[in-house]
Amino acid sequence: MLSSLNFQFGAIIFKASTGFSILIPKPPSQIVAGELYQMAQLFDCIIVGAGPSGLAAALYTGRDRLNTIVIEKFAPGGQINNTQRIENYPAIKDITGPDLVEKLYDQAVSFGAQFKMGTSVESLKRLEDGNISITTDSEELLTRSVILTPGSSYRKLGVPGEVQFSGSGVSYCGTCDAPFFKGKNVIAVGGGNTAVEEALHVAKYAAHVTLVHRRSEFRATQVLVEELQAASNGKGNISLKLNSIVTSIEGKNKVESVMLHNTVTGEKESLPCEGVFIFVGTVPNTEFLKGFVELTEHGFIKVDCAFLRASVPGVFAAGDCRVAAAMQLATAIGDGVLAAMSLKQYFRDPKWWQVPVSDLLMPSGW
C-alpha cells in the first residue's frame, strides 16, 4: 500500500512505498502566468484519471509524440495501489500494486507524458471549433481529444472493520484474491450476478464459502442461481445465509469473524471466518461528467465497445468507468491502449466519429 499521501503544492513531494515522485501544481492563488502550464496551450490529448487504464493510454499517446497531460485527483494507480499482491497480470508472476504503478508511470513519463496530480476536474465542454475545454480546480485547459479513465470505486458495506482489514482479509475481487484464501473459511456478501459468479470462483480455492444475502431471493440470472444451488445443497462447499446482513467485521490483527443480523427474525450471530469478500457492486467515478457525455442509469459512460467512442466527438472512455467493463487490471490497460489508438483515427478524419462500428474498419487497417 502507499506509505504516504502528503501533498505539498508547488513541490515534488508525492512518494509511494517505492519512492517515485511527481510534481504537484500550485493552487490558483499562487499560479504565475506562464508557470507550469499555460492556459493558451492546446494539448493533443488530456487523460482524466491516472489508474492503469490512464497510464497505459499515456504511454501510447506519448509514443505517438502527442502532447499529452494526465490529470489525477489523488495519486497514480487508483485502486490497484491497495493490492499487496498481483498474480493475474499476464507475464508477471508476482508484483505489488504500487510497484506495478511505478513501472507504468515511469514508462509513460519516459515517452513524454506530463502529469498533473492533486487536481480535480470540475467540468468539460466541447467548443464550437471542436476542441474541448476542461475546467479543473486550478485552471482551464484546452485539448483536441479526451480519454476518460476516472475508474470506479467498490461499493462499501460501511460497517466497522471493513476499512481496517481492507487488503488484509477484506477483498472486493474474487478473481484477484481467491488464491490467497486457499483452504480457508470465508464469507462472501451480495446477491447479483457478480456476487454469485465470484462466490463460485472463490469456492474453487476456499475450504468453505458462506454467501450472505440481504434478501430471500437472488437477483442473479437463473442459470447462475441454479449453479449456486447445486453447490450449496450439501454436495458442494457453499452455504447460504439469506435475509441477513453483515453488521461488523471483527478480529485483532486479522479477520476472525463477522457479525450477522437476520432482517426477518432480528437474530444476531457471530460467524467465524478468515476472510470477507464483498460483492455489492461498483460506483463509477463519473459524477462530474453528468450533462457532458451520456451515462447509464448507474453512471457508467456509454461507449461503442469497438473503439470506445463516447457520445461527444473526440471523447473516449476506458477502463472500469465504461459500460461492459470487465473490471480487471489487464482489460483496463487494454482499454487505455485501444482508446489511444482510436483517437488517431479521429485526428485523421473527424467524420469517422459518426461511422458505425463495422468489421471492415479496424485499427490495424488505419
Side-chain angles (χ1 to χ4, degrees):
M1 293 179 66
L2 298 181
S3 58
S4 66
L5 278 173
N6 299 316
F7 290 114
Q8 178 181 324
F9 287 107
I12 296 178
I13 52 75
F14 170 79
K15 292 185 177 181
S17 58
T18 45
F20 67 95
S21 303
I22 296 165
L23 180 65
I24 308 299
K26 293 182 179 181
S29 61
Q30 298 180 24
I31 292 178
V32 178
E35 181 179 350
L36 198 59
Y37 302 104
Q38 297 181 8
M39 286 183 63
Q41 181 177 5
L42 178 65
F43 291 94
D44 292 317
C45 179
I46 291 182
I47 299 168
V48 181
S53 190
L55 294 172
L59 167 63
Y60 270 69
T61 56
R63 284 176 59 85
D64 278 324
R65 299 297 186 244
L66 298 176
N67 187 13
T68 300
I69 183 171
V70 184
I71 302 175
E72 168 58 46
K73 186 175 183 179
F74 298 112
Q79 292 187 46
I80 204 68
N81 281 316
N82 298 321
T83 303
Q84 297 299 312
R85 189 176 180 184
I86 299 169
E87 291 186 325
N88 62 342
Y89 189 76
I92 298 180
K93 183 178 180 180
D94 186 346
I95 191 170
T96 69
D99 283 346
L100 180 62
V101 169
E102 181 184 9
K103 293 178 184 296
L104 289 168
Y105 170 79
D106 286 345
Q107 194 174 16
V109 169
S110 72
F111 284 100
Q114 304 172 66
F115 286 77
K116 190 175 178 68
M117 300 297 165
T119 300
S120 297
V121 172
E122 297 179 345
S123 63
L124 298 88
K125 180 180 180 181
R126 190 169 190 267
L127 307 178
E128 291 183 1
D129 61 4
N131 292 321
I132 298 165
S133 169
I134 297 182
T135 301
T136 75
D137 53 7
S138 61
E139 62 186 316
E140 181 179 347
L141 300 172
L142 295 177
T143 181
R144 299 168 63 199
S145 67
V146 173
I147 299 178
L148 298 171
T149 61
S152 65
S153 302
Y154 292 115
R155 183 173 281 115
K156 307 296 193 296
L157 293 179
V159 300
E162 181 177 11
V163 174
Q164 176 185 350
F165 295 112
S166 180
S168 58
V170 171
S171 170
Y172 300 88
C173 181
T175 302
C176 312
D177 297 335
F180 304 134
F181 294 85
K182 186 175 182 179
K184 297 182 179 182
N185 294 321
V186 301
I187 302 294
V189 185
N193 285 339
T194 298
V196 175
E197 287 177 343
E198 293 278 58
L200 290 167
H201 177 74
V202 173
K204 297 176 182 178
Y205 295 89
H208 188 84
V209 176
T210 301
L211 181 57
V212 179
H213 182 40
R214 59 181 177 172
R215 297 187 175 94
S216 59
E217 297 181 353
F218 290 92
R219 293 176 288 109
T221 58
Q222 188 59 31
V223 171
L224 287 173
V225 172
E226 290 173 359
E227 188 175 350
L228 175 66
Q229 291 171 338
S232 60
N233 64 1
K235 298 180 180 179
N237 62 336
I238 298 179
S239 60
L240 306 178
K241 286 284 186 180
L242 303 180
N243 295 315
S244 298
I245 59 174
V246 173
T247 57
S248 65
I249 301 171
E250 302 182 346
K252 293 183 179 179
N253 298 319
K254 60 181 181 179
V255 173
E256 297 175 356
S257 65
V258 298
M259 283 298 299
L260 300 181
H261 172 75
N262 188 295
T263 58
V264 175
T265 65
E267 179 184 357
K268 296 182 179 180
E269 175 186 5
S270 177
L271 195 62
C273 65
E274 298 168 272
V276 179
F277 286 87
I278 300 172
F279 307 126
V280 292
T282 56
V283 181
N285 302 320
T286 58
E287 186 71 24
F288 69 101
L289 296 171
K290 288 183 177 179
F292 176 63
V293 293
E294 289 186 22
L295 306 174
T296 69
E297 61 177 322
H298 298 295
F300 291 94
I301 302 170
K302 293 183 179 181
V303 297
D304 71 70
C305 294
F307 304 114
L308 304 183
R309 297 174 292 190
S311 58
V312 176
V315 178
F316 300 82
D320 294 357
C321 65
R322 72 169 178 91
V323 293
M327 305 295 180
Q328 294 296 302
L329 170 63
T331 55
I333 287 178
D335 264 14
V337 173
L338 175 57
M341 294 180 67
S342 296
L343 70 81
K344 292 189 294 181
Q345 178 63 12
Y346 172 66
F347 287 167
R348 296 187 190 101
D349 179 16
K351 294 181 180 179
W352 165 75
W353 205 266
Q354 309 304 329
V355 176
V357 172
S358 167
D359 58 3
L360 300 178
L361 180 65
M362 301 178 65
S364 59
W366 291 341

